[in-house]
Amino acid sequence: MVVAAVVLLAGCGGSNSKSSAGAGDVKLASSKLGKIAVDRSGRTLYLFEADTNGKSTCSGPCAATWPPYNVGTKQVVYHGHPLYYYVGDNKTPGSMKGEDLNTFGGKWFVVDGSGKAVAPAGSGSEMGGGGVGG
């Protein structure tokens, strides 16, 4: 079963400019790590612990490896975290090869339904969503 979730987009202009992207942009799907955030096609979405205040710090070579999840021209922000794909997942729905990688100055995690980073499989815990990235 897939459940729709509320999403915000990184806005342009004012410092807190955000708009609703609609319920269909991020969905939740069952995985070996529990319910995780995915796009409409079932592709896994990640957060970057180096991002702060809902703003992406990933550009250039980082964005080539971790492309932003955009709706139109704006990167989707979920519970305060900009979302990304991982090219190593090869656009395969359900693939989570980017989980717990440490690249481009920080760790990357699959996102749970409440916007928290999912700890690596077998660790038995999650990282706090509010403290990730600063």
Side-chain angles (χ1 to χ4, degrees), residues 27 59 79 83-84 94-95 120 129:
K27 298 183 179 287
S59 62
H79 291 280
L83 296 178
Y84 305 86
S95 179

Side-chain angles (χ1 to χ4, degrees), residues 6-7 10 14 17 21 25 41 53 56 66 68-69 93 102-103 111-112 126 130:
V6 177
V7 179
S17 173
D25 296 314
S41 300
N53 300 320
S56 175
W66 298 93
Y69 174 41
N102 190 351
T103 62
V111 184
D112 74 9
E126 294 178 347

Side-chain angles (χ1 to χ4, degrees), residues 15-65:
S15 61
N16 289 324
S17 173
K18 292 182 182 177
S19 62
S20 175
D25 296 314
V26 173
K27 298 183 179 287
L28 298 179
S30 296
S31 77
K32 66 182 180 182
L33 299 176
K35 293 275 188 186
I36 62 166
V38 298
D39 73 0
R40 294 180 194 193
S41 300
R43 291 176 60 197
T44 302
L45 298 169
Y46 298 88
L47 66 78
F48 185 34
E49 71 174 359
D51 288 343
T52 58
N53 300 320
K55 297 185 190 295
S56 175
T57 59
C58 179
S59 62
C62 177
T65 302

Side-chain angles (χ1 to χ4, degrees), residues 62-103:
C62 177
T65 302
W66 298 93
Y69 174 41
N70 291 335
V71 173
T73 60
K74 297 182 180 187
Q75 185 171 15
V76 174
V77 174
Y78 185 70
H79 291 280
H81 299 288
L83 296 178
Y84 305 86
Y85 295 111
Y86 176 55
V87 296
D89 286 340
N90 296 316
K91 299 184 180 181
T92 304
S95 179
M96 296 181 288
K97 294 177 181 174
E99 170 65 7
D100 197 33
L101 292 183
N102 190 351
T103 62

